Amino acid sequence: MKTTMNHRAFSLVELVIVIVIIGVISAIAIPRLTRGATNAGAAALKQDLATMRNAVELYRAEHDGKFPTSEATLADQLTKYTKADGTGAQTTVDVGNGIIYGPYLKAIPPVPVGPRKGATGIGTADAAGIGWLYDASTGEITANTGSALDNDGVAYSAY
């Protein structure tokens, strides 16, 4: 009785075709993945700015149209309960003393990009530890990123 053994294997042409397909997919996917990672800081900054600006607007809505008073107390005014005039910041509600407004943020987010990356301080001018710049007269808050630019050549401070 005759037995035949069939050996099945990939031919060289099939292997080359698979390698070429993998190469084409890599050439398309890798630049897109890299671009997404490099824009992550810009996206995080935009989200943090939107959150901070919304918190300032919520504060203003509950405090008779007044913005938080100064950068020195802004963090407390946004992350703690306050009176109608923005004073008396504390972590618990005190109805008897009128400390019922807020909090609008759980914590001040760290700046995700630029020379002050990781800083959470709020000020009117650049200094060590200052991640956010605040103008109490307009309620405008921006990132303290100096002249750092995103991938599109736009200054982070212009967001």
Side-chain angles (χ1 to χ4, degrees), residues 18-36:
V18 169
I19 290 172
V20 168
I21 291 171
I22 291 172
V24 169
I25 292 171
S26 296
I28 294 170
I30 290 174
R32 290 183 184 211
L33 292 174
T34 304
R35 192 173 340 140

Side-chain angles (χ1 to χ4, degrees), residues 65-91:
K66 296 176 186 153
F67 290 113
T69 55
S70 72
E71 72 282 353
T73 58
L74 179 64
D76 281 346
Q77 290 172 333
L78 294 180
T79 61
K80 297 178 180 177
Y81 294 98
T82 62
K83 294 180 182 180
D85 63 1
T87 61
Q90 62 184 45
T91 57

Side-chain angles (χ1 to χ4, degrees), residues 4-104:
T4 59
M5 296 185 76
N6 290 334
H7 292 286
R8 299 200 47 118
F10 292 109
S11 70
L12 182 60
V13 172
E14 291 171 323
L15 288 174
V16 169
I17 290 173
V18 169
I19 290 172
V20 168
I21 291 171
I22 291 172
V24 169
I25 292 171
S26 296
I28 294 170
I30 290 174
R32 290 183 184 211
L33 292 174
T34 304
R35 192 173 340 140
T38 56
N39 284 337
L45 178 60
K46 287 178 183 178
Q47 183 62 46
D48 289 345
L49 277 169
T51 301
M52 296 276 288
R53 290 171 177 161
N54 285 339
V56 169
E57 285 303 317
L58 285 171
Y59 177 97
R60 181 179 173 200
E62 286 191 344
H63 291 83
D64 298 324
K66 296 176 186 153
F67 290 113
T69 55
S70 72
E71 72 282 353
T73 58
L74 179 64
D76 281 346
Q77 290 172 333
L78 294 180
T79 61
K80 297 178 180 177
Y81 294 98
T82 62
K83 294 180 182 180
D85 63 1
T87 61
Q90 62 184 45
T91 57
T92 57
V93 172
D94 185 353
V95 177
N97 288 318
I99 301 174
I100 58 173
Y101 301 101
Y104 308 99

